[in-house]
């Protein structure tokens, strides 16, 4: 066990390996090919003052080592080399079995477990799971280690950017809290991605941890010269920032990418030379910590929208969708938003380039409508076109405009067209994006959190699977659901089933009256997941404009009546700018409410 702090770890293995060899291939393979280089690196860090070294196994998984036998052999050799360097140092050097992130692997939990089992077979006592983006996938491996070796010392460390979020969109305070309250961890922390100044700021804002806190920043932010990545040689500055984090309570100190034995030597000189170098761990009781977190976190409103006119008066909530313009003429958008609101819509929702056809940005359009008309707005936000930087920037801008409602969808994939490359982003899926914004609600948007909506696919072939997805979206932070357009009896039965399964969940049934015969045929043949009944198509064929309007509205009214007692409201979509079809339906609902 470890009972004396602070502990000084080694620095970036890959950094020093590249300096010594100029080899850009997977450095873990050196365990088998050039073990003398691996041992030399361990010895350099020990000589620099490290109390702990990590095995050269960070990147070992099924993607880098498809052959399981080679994978196991590489782990064995990496563990053996590190222990040899530690044993011959003449000091009590702790060897930590190193696990890097495996989030890109198909089954990350199984990947961690494979390596954990091998290290347990090797009688490892110390483990570090570093550069992690989530905590949950680690749990099976952590549990296995503790079951087989109850005295095992396990560090779990998360890779966060300067804003405190991992690439999975999870916030560092939440992750550290989850990890330190786990019975399987011994220490928690953050490493990589951040430079020392930004990591120091994150640590300064972190509540005191129950378990020892580990910090291992990058040397800084890299630059690229002729395709090669370089970090500044900032040893003294780096060590000063580590000392700053030590003063904030960090007990396990080291470096990540770009750090070298020189960085570790400077840390050792400052930390081991200070008067409080071996001070005890800062401790906050679990009850105090839980109270701090309860005081800090404000949950988003559980109702759909507290300001909705319909909910206040116990009526059906009405969301009306507008597609942003395909050009710079936004006059139709402004007029339609005002018309819909005057007829009784509670919120104007703005689509995000549906069918992946380019339209004005949904966030900016929503802000424009709010400025121009003063109406309540809710932009759609897809995972298709924005990475987490753009998403966060857009959300901050929305919040500054007083907009706090978002509808989260995956987004239609762009069509592949000859001569034009239109790559999609999909840095998040809808679950991850919901989680990401939920985490932002805890910190940045705490005073006025976003109310998050999610899509429900009532036309799913396997609706039992869709019910599971609804549950996952609720867990991720969804507060309400809007469905795809409902045309069939099956879709009606599905939303009723969803309401029975999740009776307390706010659901808005999607209604899109078809514009006419051609529109119905197009939807039925070219839009994935859309099924317009043949009876409706037949009734629209050869109908005049006015007759088609009556047929379409009558069909939608039947759908509204079938779902009226099973949903909290309706989500109307305007077909081909025929706003009159939607206003007819809103008028029907208002008359129905008056009669009741």
């Amino acid at each position: 066990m470890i009972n004396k702090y602070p502990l000084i770890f080694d620095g970036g293995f890959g950094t020093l390996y590249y300096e010594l060899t100029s080899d850009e291939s997977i450095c873990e393979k050196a365990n088998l090919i050039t073990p003398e280089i691996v041992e030399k690196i361990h010895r350099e860090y020990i000589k620099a003052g490290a109390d702990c070294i990590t095995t050269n196994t960070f990147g070992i998984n099924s993607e880098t080592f498809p052959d399981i036998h080679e994978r196991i052999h590489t782990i064995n050799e990496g563990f053996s080399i590190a222990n040899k360097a530690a044993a011959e140092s003449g000091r009590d050097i702790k060897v930590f079995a190193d696990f890097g992130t495996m989030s890109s692997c198909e089954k990350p939990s199984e990947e961690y477990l494979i390596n954990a089992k091998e290290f347990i077979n090797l009688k490892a006592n110390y483990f570090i799971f570093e550069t992690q983006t989530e905590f949950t996938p680690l749990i099976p491996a952590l549990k296995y280690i503790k079951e087989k070796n109850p005295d095992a010392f396990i560090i779990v460390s998360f890779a966060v950017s300067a804003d405190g979020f991992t690439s999975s969109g999870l916030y560092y305070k939440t992750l550290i809290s989850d990890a330190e309250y786990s019975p399987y961890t011994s220490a928690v922390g953050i490493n990589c991605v951040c430079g020392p100044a930004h990591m120091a700021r994150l640590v300064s804002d972190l509540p005191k941890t129950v378990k020892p806190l580990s910090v291992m920043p990058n040397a800084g932010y890299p630059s690229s010269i002729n395709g090669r990545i370089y970090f500044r040689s900032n040893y003294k500055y780096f060590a000063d920032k580590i000392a700053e984090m030590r003063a904030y309570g960090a007990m396990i100190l080291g470096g990540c990418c770009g750090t070298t034995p020189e960085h570790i030597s400077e840390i050792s000189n400052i930390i081991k030379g200070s008067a409080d170098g071996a001070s005890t761990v800062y401790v906050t009781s679990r009850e105090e910590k839980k109270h701090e977190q309860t005081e800090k976190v404000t949950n988003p409103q559980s109702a759909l929208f507290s300001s909705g006119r319909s909910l206040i008066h116990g009526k059906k909530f009405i969301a009306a969708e507008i597609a942003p313009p395909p050009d710079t003429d936004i006059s139709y958008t402004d007029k339609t938003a005002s018309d819909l609101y005057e007829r009784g819509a509670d919120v104007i929702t703005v689509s995000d380039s549906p069918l992946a056809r380019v339209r004005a940005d949904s966030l900016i359009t929503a802000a424009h409508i709010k400025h121009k008309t003063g109406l309540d707005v809710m932009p759609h936000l897809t995972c298709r076109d924005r990475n987490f930087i753009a998403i966060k920037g857009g959300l901050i801008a929305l919040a500054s405009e007083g907009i706090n409602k978002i509808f989260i969808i995956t987004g239609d994939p762009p069509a592949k067209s000859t001569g034009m490359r239109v790559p999609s982003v999909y840095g998040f899926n809808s679950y991850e994006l919901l989680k990401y914004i939920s985490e932002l609600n805890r910190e940045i948007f705490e005073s006025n959190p976003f109310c998050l909506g999610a899509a429900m696919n009532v036309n799913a072939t396997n609706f039992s699977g869709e019910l599971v997805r609804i549950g996952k979206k609720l867990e991720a932070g969804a507060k309400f659901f809007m469905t795809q357009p409902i045309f069939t009896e099956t879709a009606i039965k599905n939303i009723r089933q969803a309401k029975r399964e999740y009776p307390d969940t706010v659901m808005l049934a999607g209604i899109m009256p078809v514009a006419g015969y051609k529109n119905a045929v197009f939807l039925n043949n070219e839009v994935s997941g859309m099924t317009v009944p043949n009876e409706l198509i037949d009734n629209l064929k050869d109908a005049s404009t006015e007759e088609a309007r009556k047929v379409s509205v009558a069909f939608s009214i039947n759908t509204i009546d079938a779902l009226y007692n099973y949903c909290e409201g309706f989500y109307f979509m305007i077909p081909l700018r025929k706003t009159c079809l939607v206003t007819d339906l809103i008028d029907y609902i208002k008359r129905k409410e008056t009669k009741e």
Side-chain angles (χ1 to χ4, degrees), residues 201-319:
R201 179 177 54 77
L202 293 174
V203 171
S204 71
D205 194 42
L206 188 68
K208 294 176 182 178
T209 54
V210 174
K211 294 175 180 176
L213 178 66
S214 170
V215 293
M216 300 181 193
N218 287 349
Y221 295 94
S223 58
S224 177
I225 302 176
N226 296 325
R228 294 175 64 176
I229 301 299
Y230 291 90
F231 289 84
R232 289 181 178 273
S233 299
N234 56 348
Y235 317 129
K236 182 64 168 63
Y237 170 85
F238 183 88
D240 286 342
K241 289 298 178 183
I242 291 291
E244 184 179 328
M245 286 182 265
R246 172 72 188 90
Y248 291 137
M251 308 302 291
I252 300 172
L253 317 164
C256 205
C257 301
T259 57
T260 64
E262 285 81 1
H263 290 87
I264 302 307
S265 179
E266 286 289 342
I267 293 173
S268 181
N269 291 338
I270 290 178
I271 299 302
K272 292 182 178 179
S274 65
D276 67 338
S279 59
T280 56
V281 180
Y282 289 96
V283 175
T284 303
S285 72
R286 292 175 186 266
E287 290 72 22
E288 282 182 67
K289 189 167 181 64
K290 287 179 181 177
H291 176 71
E292 285 177 5
Q293 292 173 335
T294 301
E295 290 293 312
K296 181 71 173 173
V297 175
T298 302
N299 290 324
Q301 53 269 52
S302 57
L304 177 53
F305 309 126
S306 58
S307 61
R309 295 176 298 180
S310 296
L311 288 184
I312 291 172
H313 296 97
K315 306 296 184 181
K316 294 299 179 185
F317 193 91
I318 295 176

Side-chain angles (χ1 to χ4, degrees), residues 41 281 547:
I41 291 171
V281 180
E547 288 172 341

Side-chain angles (χ1 to χ4, degrees), residues 78-203:
F79 188 71
S80 174
I81 295 166
N83 275 281
K84 180 174 183 291
E88 295 177 358
S89 68
R91 294 171 49 210
D92 180 19
I93 302 297
K94 305 291 192 293
V95 174
F96 276 74
D98 193 11
F99 298 71
T101 181
M102 301 187 192
S103 57
S104 64
C105 298
E106 185 177 351
K107 297 179 179 180
S109 290
E110 293 182 11
E111 297 278 349
Y112 292 116
L113 193 55
I114 289 171
N115 290 13
K117 287 180 177 179
E118 190 56 33
F119 279 119
I120 285 295
N121 289 338
L122 295 170
K123 309 300 182 185
N125 292 310
Y126 305 100
F127 302 80
I128 180 168
F129 291 75
E130 60 174 325
T131 322
Q132 301 301 317
T133 62
E134 300 178 72
F135 180 65
T136 303
L138 308 180
I139 293 175
L142 300 178
K143 182 179 180 182
Y144 178 85
I145 291 169
K146 277 295 188 180
E147 286 176 348
K148 298 298 182 181
N149 182 357
D151 294 328
F153 188 94
I154 304 174
I155 302 172
V156 173
S157 180
F158 302 98
V160 299
S161 57
D163 62 359
F165 286 85
T166 71
S167 60
S168 295
L170 301 178
Y171 196 52
Y172 80 117
K173 290 183 182 179
T174 304
L175 287 168
I176 287 177
S177 177
D178 290 345
E180 74 164 328
Y181 284 117
S182 166
Y184 310 123
T185 62
S186 309
V188 295
I190 51 180
N191 76 289
C192 204
V193 183
C194 269
H198 286 141
M199 190 170 287
R201 179 177 54 77
L202 293 174
V203 171

Side-chain angles (χ1 to χ4, degrees), residues 393-438:
L395 292 171
I396 291 172
L398 286 180
S400 69
E401 292 295 324
I403 299 171
N404 68 340
K405 305 169 184 66
I406 290 284
F407 181 52
I408 304 299
I409 52 177
T410 300
D412 301 306
K416 295 180 179 179
S417 56
T418 303
M420 182 175 290
R421 183 173 177 268
V422 188
S424 51
V425 177
Y426 293 121
F428 290 112
N429 59 35
S430 57
Y431 309 115
E432 292 167 340
L433 186 50
L434 285 165
K435 287 181 182 178
Y436 179 55
I437 303 176
S438 294

